[in-house]
Amino acid sequence: MKRLLSTFALAGAMGLCAFGAQAATKLEQVKSKGFVQCGVSQGLPGFSNPNDKGEWSGLDVEFCRAVAAAIFGDPTKVKFTPLSAKDRFTALQSGDIDVLSRNTTWTITRDTSLGLNFTGVTYYDGQGFMIRKDKKVNSALELSGASVCTQTGTTTEQNLADFFRANNMTYEVIAFATNDEVVKAYDAGRCDVLTTDRSGLAGERLKLTNPDDHIVLPEIISKEPLGPVVAHGDDQWFDIVKWVLNAQLIAEELGVTSQNVDEQVKSATNPEIKRLVGTEGKYGEGLGLGNDWGYLIIKNVGNYGEMYDRTVGPDTPLKLSRGLNALWNKGGIQYGMPIR
């Protein structure tokens, strides 16, 4: 009898331990291990791409560093997991990564049935087509009968089918599991056209043997709002990742940069700036962070414009103008929610 009671007691204790482990919030888990595990692409210049030393750079990468800065005050406390389009959501659902920042389109299916939460849009994009100049094609409406290279497990495949069906055109799809396979196949002439988001085309074009021999056609055939993703079930973590982007957008709106943020902490009189940098109010408490969380993001990574310009902007190899990604008061649709 005593042995049986001991067994029950042990089982109960193990159950309580398991419950306690499950009850730990994502923020607590991240703080405990000392870094943010961030899912990124397997290599897309301008967004998430490793160099020969394994050092990651790009817009999606810098956003992950901003999350780390908000939590730890240190943008280096992040580790990157390269993921294929097929595996990215499974890694998030299983908890192998804390946040997915990997040129991923916000859709209703992903937001609901996959159990994911999109935290905002870091890049407003649209799908396009790249083709060799010697094909003498000037419009996507001239692509009937073409073979098209694309990646499996993406919204690109459905958009492709919708576009050709809507325009009564035929095509042959040649799909691969990774970006690199798609680019190599296109570069080798295994297909006539490469299709993905236009920002992706700008990055993939740099990988081609002769980049100048290829053009991106003018048509944009879809809306592709790309942004970070977290799993359902932890509203605090959802809020943290969401407000990191808002803080970067607000900082650009207010002219607060990594270069002047220390001065703003000392002398700002604008209440919006003071709330952003943490010298007025206690807005970090609701996130489970210090009240200087906004300051830490801006000081260590910068505002949205700084992040954009050094990764994909006009002075980078991708040469992407701001377009829709300009602020709402400068001709674009990027808009930071207010801190108040």
Side-chain angles (χ1 to χ4, degrees):
M1 184 65 177
K2 288 182 179 180
R3 182 178 297 175
L4 182 61
L5 289 173
S6 297
T7 302
F8 285 150
L10 178 60
M14 291 176 65
L16 287 173
C17 289
F19 177 80
Q22 291 173 355
T25 68
K26 177 60 74 174
L27 178 59
E28 290 169 341
Q29 294 171 21
V30 168
K31 284 184 173 181
S32 177
K33 65 186 178 184
F35 59 89
V36 177
Q37 193 74 46
C38 183
V40 291
S41 76
Q42 293 168 309
L44 180 61
F47 289 86
S48 49
N49 198 50
N51 62 18
D52 293 339
K53 298 179 181 179
E55 300 166 334
W56 288 86
S57 64
L59 185 69
D60 293 336
V61 166
E62 294 218 1
F63 179 79
C64 291
R65 292 188 174 126
V67 174
I71 297 168
F72 299 108
D74 184 348
T76 68
K77 291 193 173 183
V78 57
K79 294 185 179 181
F80 299 101
T81 301
L83 296 165
S84 69
K86 179 182 177 182
D87 297 332
R88 55 186 161 172
F89 301 129
T90 304
L92 191 59
Q93 293 161 339
S94 66
D96 289 345
I97 59 174
D98 303 313
V99 59
L100 177 67
S101 185
R102 185 203 177 283
N103 56 293
T104 298
T105 301
W106 189 345
T107 71
I108 187 171
T109 302
R110 293 170 176 177
D111 218 16
T112 55
S113 61
L114 291 186
L116 308 177
N117 277 327
F118 283 79
T119 63
V121 179
T122 48
Y123 194 92
Y124 287 97
D125 208 348
Q127 186 172 329
F129 298 94
M130 181 161 62
I131 192 168
R132 294 166 183 76
K133 290 179 180 178
D134 61 16
K135 294 287 187 181
K136 307 297 183 183
V137 171
N138 298 309
S139 168
L141 296 174
E142 301 172 21
L143 293 177
S144 187
S147 55
V148 185
C149 280
T150 190
Q151 188 177 4
T152 57
T154 66
T155 57
T156 307
E157 291 178 289
Q158 182 176 344
N159 295 335
L160 181 64
D162 289 347
F163 175 75
F164 276 82
R165 184 173 63 180
N167 290 285
N168 296 312
M169 299 191 303
T170 61
Y171 72 105
E172 176 190 4
V173 64
I174 302 177
F176 299 89
T178 69
N179 278 329
D180 281 345
E181 289 176 305
V182 173
V183 174
K184 288 176 182 177
Y186 171 73
D187 202 21
R190 293 181 58 185
C191 54
D192 302 314
V193 183
L194 190 157
T195 186
T196 189
D197 301 337
R198 286 173 64 89
S199 63
L201 292 176
E204 304 295 18
R205 183 172 173 269
L206 300 176
K207 299 179 182 179
L208 300 176
T209 304
N210 297 297
D212 291 339
D213 291 346
H214 306 262
I215 59 169
V216 176
L217 298 176
E219 287 82 3
I220 298 175
I221 68 168
S222 69
K223 293 186 294 184
E224 305 296 330
L226 310 178
V229 195
V230 297
H232 279 181
D234 191 324
D235 286 348
Q236 181 190 49
W237 185 245
F238 178 35
D239 287 342
I240 289 170
V241 180
K242 174 171 46 180
W243 280 96
V244 168
L245 177 57
N246 280 318
Q248 291 184 294
L249 289 167
I250 292 168
E252 185 181 6
E253 292 175 16
L254 297 174
V256 182
T257 71
S258 57
Q259 300 301 310
N260 67 24
V261 67
D262 286 325
E263 183 60 33
Q264 297 287 2
V265 168
K266 295 176 184 177
S267 60
T269 58
N270 184 329
E272 290 184 273
I273 294 178
K274 295 177 75 172
R275 292 194 291 267
L276 172 67
V277 299
T279 55
E280 181 174 297
K282 297 181 178 180
Y283 297 98
E285 288 184 0
L287 298 172
L289 303 177
N291 290 319
D292 61 349
W293 64 281
Y295 164 81
L296 293 172
I297 294 168
I298 301 160
K299 179 64 178 178
N300 288 287
V301 179
N303 65 36
Y304 177 81
E306 290 179 280
M307 188 170 68
Y308 185 102
D309 286 345
R310 66 174 169 256
T311 56
V312 299
D315 294 330
T316 69
L318 271 70
K319 304 184 187 305
L320 295 174
S321 63
R322 286 290 290 268
L324 292 177
N325 294 290
L327 296 179
W328 63 281
N329 55 3
K330 293 186 178 179
I333 59 177
Q334 284 288 12
Y335 190 108
M337 307 306 156
I339 298 174
R340 62 171 181 261

